[in-house]
Amino acid sequence: MSILRLGLCVSGVYAMFLLWAVAQERLSVPFQSIDGQSADRFQSALFIGICQSCLGSLAAFIYIYMRGERGSSFCSLLGLDVADLVTTNGLSKEKTSGPRNAKVSSNGHVRKADVAQSGWRSPRSRLLQGYLQCSLFITLAAPFGFACLSHITYPTMVLAKSCKLVPVMIMNIILYRRRFAPHKYLVVAMVTTGITMFMFSGKERPSKGSNEPPSRSPYAQLIGIAYVLVDIFLDGAVNSTQDEIFLRYKITGQQMMFWMNVFSTLLNLILGTLPLPHIPVLHPSSDARSELASAFAFVREHPSIVVPLLQFSVTSALGQLFIFETLQHFGSLTLVTITLTRKMFTMILSVAIYSHWLTAGQWVGAIIVFAGISVEAWVKRKDVHAKQVIEEKEKAKIKTL
């Protein structure tokens, strides 16, 4: 059953997110207007976010309702009927009173300092705050991930987003003087070398709309990479917050998916309806209208965007179900391995479908990047396996006693 479930998760992630990547790249290139007089790029990342998160929350709710126990309350189905979990003598158990993040001493008392820090907020409010924090990071990250495609090609973005380890390590070294295992420096060197080769060995530039002047700036690709780095940092904040939520609360991946998408929809709607001034990346509309009004006007004038927009939203919603199912049953390490190989196939599929022309230097650079990331994944898997062996030995010793 476990192997069957893993095979289903892998197949679902591959199928949905390969189709999702095809639609994402299509949304980044110009669309022909209904009168055929111009070709314009769609610039509303907020509108795309609304479509994606709205369908994501709907898909998660249907899944939860169909898989939930009959007779369960609404709060229980959506993961709001949570209790505080505390750790005593290394074992997790439920505790119905006291703050969740408070430390418990050997005599079972909660430390006052940790109580004051949590402010005696209910577990439900802290859980919802964690979901809101994840949604805020996602909402801020999406415009940067979308804007980078104005400066770099889609394969370059896929390659750059595969390298989350590099900026995290660099910031830790600069800000906190932290040291890392030798293999991590090797991984950073390989990834940096590979991306540099990929960027400067290619001659292809991203497509522009008929009303957009071609970019002649030598810094265009650096601007695109800078946008990707912002996107990566915000994604890293989402991942760390998700790990913290799973550690503290007994919830399912689909419950997290539902609430994150609900909050993302609300945040995007609020930002999209406000008549904000022009803000580079975050609010690209140059007129006095709200971004949602500009997006609806674009869809009316460019109806060919409807199909890729629906494909992007539906595949994202279904793909998220498989992602959270994998995360819940097989852990983040298995998910990282699946995601890594999926990104390799995404880049190859992008080259095949959209006729990107990669030089020999770019192929070599891509191979170096994925080789470096594979080294990191292999070492992580080895470390996790070693820890599991130690834990099994300790459990065996306890049983013999």
Side-chain angles (χ1 to χ4, degrees), residues 44-114:
S44 178
L46 290 179
F47 185 75
I48 294 176
I50 291 172
C51 297
Q52 180 177 340
S53 58
C54 189
L55 283 180
S57 57
L58 179 61
F61 182 80
I62 293 173
Y63 181 93
I64 292 169
Y65 182 78
M66 293 179 63
R67 294 289 298 270
E69 296 181 3
R70 291 188 176 182
S72 299
S73 64
F74 185 76
C75 289
S76 179
L77 279 176
L78 297 183
L80 295 180
D81 190 12
V82 291
D84 287 331
L85 299 177
V86 295
T87 303
T88 306
N89 297 326
L91 299 174
S92 251
K93 66 179 183 179
E94 290 190 359
K95 185 178 180 69
T96 56
S97 63
R100 151 156 300 293
N101 58 354
K103 302 290 184 181
V104 179
S105 61
S106 58
N107 59 5
H109 293 292
V110 180
R111 288 189 348 199
K112 292 182 179 180
D114 295 319

Side-chain angles (χ1 to χ4, degrees), residues 156-234:
T156 306
M157 185 198 74
V158 172
L159 199 64
K161 290 190 72 171
S162 303
C163 314
K164 291 185 179 182
L165 174 68
V166 177
V168 173
M169 274 191 63
I170 291 174
M171 293 304 293
N172 272 285
I173 293 171
I174 294 175
L175 297 178
Y176 304 110
R177 300 292 189 267
R178 290 176 180 164
R179 295 183 180 181
F180 296 89
H183 79 274
K184 291 187 180 288
Y185 295 100
L186 173 63
V187 170
V188 168
M190 293 176 68
V191 167
T192 305
T193 302
I195 289 181
T196 303
M197 288 182 62
F198 191 92
M199 285 179 56
F200 294 102
S201 298
K203 299 179 181 179
E204 186 182 9
R205 295 293 179 266
S207 302
K208 295 286 184 179
S210 56
N211 57 349
E212 295 179 276
S215 177
R216 300 182 182 275
S217 171
Y219 304 107
Q221 290 200 57
L222 294 179
I223 294 173
I225 293 296
Y227 287 164
V228 173
L229 289 177
V230 174
D231 187 19
I232 289 174
F233 277 117
L234 291 171

Side-chain angles (χ1 to χ4, degrees), residues 365-383:
I367 291 171
I368 292 174
V369 169
F370 285 116
I373 301 171
S374 299
V375 169
E376 173 68 11
W378 178 77
V379 173
K380 277 187 177 180
R381 179 171 290 277
K382 187 177 177 182
D383 291 343

Side-chain angles (χ1 to χ4, degrees), residues 112-175:
K112 292 182 179 180
D114 295 319
V115 171
Q117 185 179 0
S118 68
W120 283 105
R121 288 176 299 154
S122 67
R124 181 181 298 180
S125 63
R126 292 198 301 274
L127 177 60
L128 291 175
Q129 182 180 345
Y131 290 146
L132 179 60
Q133 183 176 325
C134 287
S135 301
L136 181 60
F137 288 143
I138 291 172
T139 303
L140 292 176
F144 287 95
F146 194 66
C148 74
L149 292 173
S150 298
H151 304 279
I152 58 178
T153 60
Y154 192 81
T156 306
M157 185 198 74
V158 172
L159 199 64
K161 290 190 72 171
S162 303
C163 314
K164 291 185 179 182
L165 174 68
V166 177
V168 173
M169 274 191 63
I170 291 174
M171 293 304 293
N172 272 285
I173 293 171
I174 294 175
L175 297 178

